[in-house]
């Protein structure tokens, strides 16, 4: 079914009541249509700038086209990087979910003493690096 508007006849006969409503993405105020309108305006403005650059400034047409393509692209990339950096500095570095609330494990230090100092190989003693006094405290 094509939507054809026949002006006054369409309105006077109230034919608009029989027309099916538009899908949400085709409504004039929806986000896709708003973005489409903004892109259309940008394309028309770029065409005007291209004409000024070639006719009034005497610039090569290809050079003007490259400038009009790459300049906004570079601007968007810089704006994106600045935005990401500002959010990063404002909120801090994100932590993985499994590390939230956890503390780093402290490295074990070889304990000296009568019941088991460090062995010759540099590893922990047979008691797992825990001295006898600490082992007794844990058992209580």
């Amino acid at each position: 079914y094509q939507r054809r508007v026949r002006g006054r006849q369409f309105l006077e006969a109230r034919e608009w009541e029989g027309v099916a409503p538009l899908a949400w993405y085709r409504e004039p105020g929806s986000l896709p249509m708003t973005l489409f309108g903004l892109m259309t305006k940008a394309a028309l403005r770029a065409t005007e700038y291209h004409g000024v650059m070639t006719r009034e400034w005497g610039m090569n047409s290809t050079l003007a086209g490259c400038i009009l393509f790459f300049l906004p692209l570079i601007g968007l990339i810089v704006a994106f990087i600045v935005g990401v950096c500002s959010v990063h500095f404002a909120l801090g570095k994100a932590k993985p979910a499994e590390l939230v609330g956890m503390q780093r494990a402290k490295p074990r230090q070889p304990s000296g003493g009568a019941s088991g100092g460090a062995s010759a190989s540099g590893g922990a003693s047979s008691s797992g690096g825990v001295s006898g006094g600490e082992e007794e405290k844990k058992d209580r």
Side-chain angles (χ1 to χ4, degrees):
Y1 181 108
Q2 286 187 340
R3 294 176 184 264
R4 284 187 242 161
V5 179
R6 293 178 296 276
R8 178 175 263 167
Q9 176 188 355
F10 182 81
L11 294 174
E12 288 176 355
R14 299 180 65 92
E15 292 179 25
W16 53 271
E17 291 176 344
V19 176
L22 291 171
W24 69 270
Y25 56 88
R26 294 182 72 182
E27 301 246 347
S30 67
L31 180 65
M33 288 303 192
T34 302
L35 292 176
F36 179 73
L38 291 173
M39 287 189 294
T40 303
K41 284 181 183 179
L44 291 173
R45 198 166 277 176
T47 304
E48 291 174 13
Y49 290 150
H50 186 269
V52 169
M53 293 169 116
T54 54
R55 282 187 233 112
E56 294 181 17
W57 297 354
M59 191 180 288
N60 182 358
S61 180
T62 306
L63 179 62
C66 288
I67 289 172
L68 289 172
F69 177 76
F70 287 112
L71 199 61
L73 184 65
I74 292 169
L76 286 173
I77 291 170
V78 168
F80 177 76
I81 291 171
V82 167
V84 167
C85 289
S86 63
V87 168
H88 176 74
F89 289 126
L91 301 178
K93 187 175 180 183
K95 294 181 181 178
E98 64 269 7
L99 296 180
V100 172
M102 294 179 63
Q103 296 179 354
R104 277 193 187 178
K106 295 180 182 173
R108 288 188 179 174
Q109 297 180 0
S111 60
S115 68
S119 65
S121 64
S125 67
S126 62
S127 65
V130 178
S131 68
E134 290 176 28
E135 208 171 77
E136 290 174 10
K137 290 178 189 174
K138 287 184 180 179
D139 290 337
R140 289 184 193 169

